[in-house]
Amino acid sequence: MSAKSGAGASVSSGASFQARVGGYVIATSLCGIDSELAPAGQLKLIGFETAESIDDINLAISDGSFVYVQAKATIDFSPNPGGNLRSVFEQFERQHALGSKKASRFLLVTTSRSSKKVVYELRAALEAFRLGPEKEFTRDQPRALVDIINELRRVLRELQVAAGRPKDQSIIDDILRRSFVIVLDIEAGDPVEQGLLLVLQSQGFAAPSAVWGKIVSDCVTHAKARHSIEIERLRADYDRFKLREGRIEEEASDDLLTVEFGEMNFSAGREVVLCRVRDNAPPLPSGLVLFEFYRFDDDCAERIKFSEDDITLASGVRIPLIRRAATFEGLQRMIEADTSLVGDEPLTIAPINSEQDFEIGNCAEIHRQRLRDAARANSRPLHCVHCGRPVSSPIASLVELGTLERPIVGLSHDACLKPSDRVLGTARGDFFESYPELVNFDANGWFRASHGGQITFANADVLRTQHKLIAWGGLNPRGPVGNYVIEIALQGGGREIVTQRNGVHRFDRVPAEKFASSLNSQFEESRKTGDPFCYSDQSKAFGRRSFLLEQLGGRERLVPVENARVRTYEERFAARYTRPGQWYAPLLYLRDPATDEPVAYENMVLLLTDPLTLRNFLVNWRSAELDVPTYETVSIHSDAEFDEFMRWVEARGWTAVVDPLLDPTDKNLVSGLPIRSVEALTNAR
């Protein structure tokens, strides 16, 4: 890397977020996960507070390119002298002037707490400008995005002149095409941090919170000392915190969380069964019998046929089947774990009357390889092979089912286990040993949904309102997407499009006209009272001026609205107003497996934003004498799933409450965020 001094911002001022971004890069690399900053397996070196101009974090990629990172937990659109955004692009311009390396990228990494003009519009403007020629960009993109690029061009020209370099439009545009805005909610308690802790645990790291804390702390140290470290050295340093090895091969699944299947040296040549033998099956004694037999004949075909509930002997006699396993010891463990299989009845044990090792030979070896191939081919190794739901317990049954030629190998819930399932052994999961309360938790789905998720709860955190409530607008199922939008004109010439969640709100023609008319009536009434509707310039908050002043104070400029009008939808609107991620999801709730009903308290369904806090909430709920039955956890991974869930809740007349805490004395709700449909709130007035 170039040897130019570029200390940039003080290490201490943004140290926490910068360290977390560096920690995210390290942790995802250790776990083999693609990230927005570096592809999995391709990061060679990470540098902190380097002598480069963009100095926060520098990443060297195996293809010879570099990624230069400026990390700002919050930033507004401030291109004028003294503004943080101008400072960022000053470093981008200076880095480019030092000599641009192959395919290098300049990244502004921030959080969703930054202004929407940065998170939405600046990100969208850079993306659109990067993807196409200037002429098409100017012609096709919304005026607001074109204005942002023109503003950045002006800033970069001024920076070139100030640095004594000639103004060069081609260089300016190359800088902009190398520039990215990455939204990474990695601060304490954020969804991505939650997901990262789950993945660290799943990869065998002991005490993932402590390991993550050490990684972040180490990154602060690296920044202070201006370290550049090879990722392989970091891998060796942190691997000592792993508990064990021997996980299923990576190609077996795209899941990030795996369980320990060991070396997959499955027992293939024996059958061990627990049956209820009738009087018509000599020489077997009648009653409960645990007997063992060799599996294959001379042609490697099965000697005894299995159906779902019984076995058929060579003589044609059918015997009811209770349990089946690959080893004698395995079936004994099953009986010890579930004594109801035998009860108080006498049990006859009949092992194979032979000294031969039936695990040796062509038949056993051929089938053992079938089982290995089936385990690797299982695309959902953490989901039950029967019901499809996640399986999470410290020890789970690994089973074989299907035909001899095409076996299926995977995990099964104990409740789903069928008599004909051939139990191969057990699969251990470190994650579930540490978090036994997360029963059947889908950690993989949660991690994927966490990136850019829970936007509405982040927005609620910044409100100053004492009694917060989320108004949910998904009660009525939406039909085909409409072709009209509502555009609001602002004083001074600006324009905004009405949004819904994290995208453009699209209407049919008649509803659009009615809504625009209603807005214009409200705008006129508010102007008469001296309290006009406004948009804030950075967060794009919308409401009466008095409300925005109460919530935002003097942090942002408020621009009064003029009127609303209907116009046809254009695809270019989506770039400006759409952000990847989920508005509500991911969320977690508890379900009674006996009834499939969510756990509720006085018609309140209890939802959680952080699965790692479930243990604390359980303690609180039980201290308030809330009866929490045997349960399993259910994750809501998408907003579509959330809408379906909320329609079910409201159809019952119930309320959903996010992160609820109860007063143990009077059992009242003392903390939590209720979610009610707009229709229910309107009818309650």
Side-chain angles (χ1 to χ4, degrees):
M1 298 184 181
S2 303
K4 179 183 185 302
S5 177
S10 165
V11 172
S12 60
S13 62
S16 176
F17 182 66
Q18 177 183 329
R20 286 174 173 274
V21 173
Y24 174 81
V25 173
I26 292 172
T28 52
S29 182
L30 294 176
C31 296
I33 304 169
D34 277 320
S35 76
E36 305 90 329
L37 281 72
Q42 296 187 36
L43 179 64
K44 291 176 57 180
L45 180 133
I46 179 170
F48 296 85
E49 289 294 332
T50 67
E52 299 283 3
S53 290
I54 306 174
D55 58 354
D56 280 2
I57 299 171
N58 294 169
L59 310 177
I61 310 301
S62 59
D63 64 1
S65 66
F66 284 79
V67 178
Y68 299 99
V69 177
Q70 272 289 293
K72 303 286 185 185
T74 58
I75 188 171
D76 55 16
F77 191 85
S78 49
N80 294 324
N84 285 335
L85 187 65
R86 186 185 184 94
S87 174
V88 167
F89 277 90
E90 181 179 7
Q91 295 193 43
F92 287 5
E93 189 276 335
R94 195 162 62 231
Q95 184 66 53
H96 193 281
L98 289 174
S100 183
K101 299 180 176 67
K102 172 187 173 184
S104 297
R105 296 189 298 151
F106 307 148
L107 271 54
L108 166 60
V109 179
T110 188
T111 71
S112 59
R113 298 172 181 85
S114 288
S115 77
K116 287 187 178 179
K117 192 165 184 178
V118 171
V119 171
Y120 284 78
E121 295 184 354
L122 175 59
R123 179 187 59 81
L126 292 171
E127 183 74 14
F129 186 72
R130 179 167 49 254
L131 294 177
E134 177 189 355
K135 180 179 178 181
E136 282 72 13
F137 170 80
T138 304
R139 181 192 66 197
D140 298 336
Q141 294 303 316
R143 181 69 187 177
L145 301 193
V146 175
D147 287 346
I148 284 176
I149 294 299
N150 288 336
E151 182 76 355
L152 293 178
R153 281 173 159 174
R154 176 189 66 79
V155 169
L156 289 168
R157 281 196 299 270
E158 292 175 357
L159 292 171
Q160 285 179 332
V161 171
R165 287 183 276 274
K167 290 185 288 187
D168 190 322
Q169 189 65 45
S170 64
I171 290 178
I172 288 172
D173 288 353
D174 188 51
I175 294 171
L176 293 177
R177 288 192 167 95
R178 292 173 183 267
S179 301
F180 296 75
V181 174
I182 304 295
V183 180
L184 185 65
D185 289 327
I186 193 64
E187 294 196 279
D190 281 349
V192 175
E193 187 195 52
Q194 299 167 14
L196 199 56
L197 292 175
L198 297 172
V199 173
L200 285 169
Q201 177 73 52
S202 74
Q203 295 297 312
F205 287 96
S209 296
V211 173
W212 169 241
K214 176 171 175 51
I215 291 174
V216 173
S217 176
D218 288 348
C219 288
V220 173
T221 300
H222 295 323
K224 290 179 178 178
R226 287 174 160 74
H227 286 161
S228 292
I229 315 105
E230 292 180 348
I231 194 63
E232 288 307 314
R233 176 182 166 187
L234 290 171
R235 191 183 308 280
D237 286 344
Y238 293 116
D239 272 358
R240 60 198 170 99
F241 298 113
K242 282 189 172 182
L243 288 175
R244 57 171 70 95
E245 303 293 336
R247 299 187 179 277
I248 193 170
E249 282 82 355
E250 184 178 350
E251 61 267 26
S253 168
D254 64 354
D255 274 344
L256 302 174
L257 181 61
T258 59
V259 292
E260 185 184 358
F261 288 168
E263 298 177 358
M264 294 192 286
N265 190 26
F266 302 123
S267 177
R270 298 169 182 250
E271 292 283 8
V272 185
V273 296
L274 176 65
C275 292
R276 185 174 298 282
V277 180
R278 302 189 183 96
D279 294 334
N280 62 343
L284 294 174
S286 60
L288 284 178
V289 179
L290 190 161
F291 66 96
E292 182 182 29
F293 56 88
Y294 55 94
R295 188 173 189 182
F296 301 110
D297 61 19
D298 292 340
D299 296 323
C300 297
E302 288 186 297
R303 296 175 57 247
I304 294 180
K305 303 302 179 185
F306 287 85
S307 67
E308 187 169 299
D309 298 308
D310 55 35
I311 62 175
T312 303
L313 303 178
S315 62
V317 174
R318 299 175 68 179
I319 301 175
L321 177 63
I322 299 174
R323 283 289 183 268
R324 176 188 182 193
T327 65
F328 195 84
E329 294 77 15
L331 193 47
Q332 285 182 310
R333 284 196 299 268
M334 294 168 64
I335 294 173
E336 291 170 1
D338 183 4
T339 56
S340 66
L341 293 174
V342 175
D344 296 329
E345 294 185 57
L347 174 66
T348 301
I349 298 177
I352 292 179
N353 186 22
S354 173
E355 297 296 326
Q356 181 179 345
D357 187 349
F358 294 102
E359 297 304 324
I360 297 175
N362 290 337
C363 296
E365 194 53 49
I366 289 170
H367 191 64
R368 186 175 295 109
Q369 189 58 47
R370 290 188 190 124
L371 297 178
R372 292 185 183 121
D373 293 342
R376 295 187 180 100
N378 186 343
S379 63
R380 305 177 78 206
L382 282 173
H383 291 250
C384 178
V385 292
H386 292 297
C387 72
R389 293 175 178 174
V391 179
S392 64
S393 61
I395 301 177
S397 293
L398 180 66
V399 302
E400 168 193 354
L401 60 151
T403 65
L404 184 71
E405 294 77 15
R406 295 181 178 273
I408 297 169
V409 174
L411 300 181
S412 174
H413 294 116
D414 288 344
C416 295
L417 201 64
K418 298 184 181 301
S420 59
D421 289 349
R422 186 169 180 265
V423 177
L424 298 170
T426 57
R428 303 185 66 88
D430 301 333
F431 171 78
F432 304 116
E433 290 178 352
S434 297
Y435 298 99
E437 69 276 7
L438 290 174
V439 180
N440 296 337
F441 175 66
D442 185 359
N444 297 312
W446 188 277
F447 181 78
R448 294 190 184 99
S450 67
H451 283 72
Q454 299 183 356
I455 297 173
T456 189
F457 304 112
N459 291 343
D461 285 343
V462 304
L463 294 179
R464 296 181 179 181
T465 306
Q466 183 176 2
H467 300 291
K468 300 175 184 178
L469 183 145
I470 297 293
W472 166 69
L475 181 59
N476 296 317
R478 291 178 287 277
V481 176
N483 199 38
Y484 296 91
V485 299
I486 307 296
E487 182 182 72
I488 296 180
L490 308 180
Q491 289 184 10
R495 297 186 182 278
E496 298 289 344
I497 301 294
V498 172
T499 60
Q500 183 178 53
R501 297 185 179 177
N502 53 335
V504 177
H505 193 173
R506 298 171 65 174
F507 299 80
D508 292 334
R509 178 80 194 203
V510 172
E513 290 174 343
K514 289 182 178 179
F515 189 44
S517 176
S518 173
L519 286 175
N520 283 324
S521 296
Q522 293 181 63
F523 295 164
E524 180 62 28
E525 179 184 347
S526 67
R527 277 192 290 267
K528 289 179 179 178
T529 63
D531 190 13
F533 274 84
C534 300
Y535 269 91
S536 66
D537 66 334
Q538 294 288 337
S539 63
K540 304 299 180 182
F542 172 69
R544 294 180 185 270
R545 183 166 58 193
S546 59
F547 172 78
L548 295 180
L549 286 172
E550 177 187 348
Q551 300 302 323
L552 302 174
R555 299 194 304 271
E556 300 186 34
R557 184 169 64 92
L558 304 182
V559 184
V561 307
E562 289 188 344
N563 56 64
R565 68 165 182 143
V566 176
R567 61 175 299 177
T568 56
Y569 171 79
E570 296 182 39
E571 188 64 24
R572 60 195 178 101
F573 296 153
R576 180 184 177 192
Y577 292 100
T578 302
R579 177 191 149 192
Q582 304 295 326
W583 193 251
Y584 297 101
L587 290 167
L588 183 78
Y589 68 92
L590 307 185
R591 177 171 60 194
D592 185 340
T595 63
D596 275 353
E597 292 278 313
V599 173
Y601 174 68
E602 294 185 351
N603 295 339
M604 289 191 310
V605 177
L606 316 174
L607 299 172
L608 296 180
T609 57
D610 182 357
L612 299 181
T613 63
L614 174 57
R615 188 177 305 171
N616 298 334
F617 280 94
L618 287 172
V619 171
N620 171 259
W621 298 341
R622 285 169 173 151
S623 69
E625 299 181 3
L626 168 60
D627 179 26
V628 181
T630 300
Y631 67 86
E632 62 181 351
T633 60
V634 182
S635 299
I636 299 173
H637 292 146
S638 70
D639 286 346
E641 293 177 18
F642 178 77
D643 286 343
E644 288 296 323
F645 180 79
M646 283 298 299
R647 291 185 196 115
W648 180 88
V649 169
E650 294 237 343
R652 291 193 161 198
W654 290 6
T655 301
V657 182
V658 176
D659 294 335
L661 291 173
L662 305 174
D663 187 330
T665 304
D666 57 19
K667 304 175 183 57
N668 289 330
L669 185 71
V670 294
S671 176
L673 194 60
I675 302 179
R676 299 287 303 280
S677 69
V678 173
E679 292 80 0
L681 293 171
T682 302
N683 294 335
R685 291 175 181 170

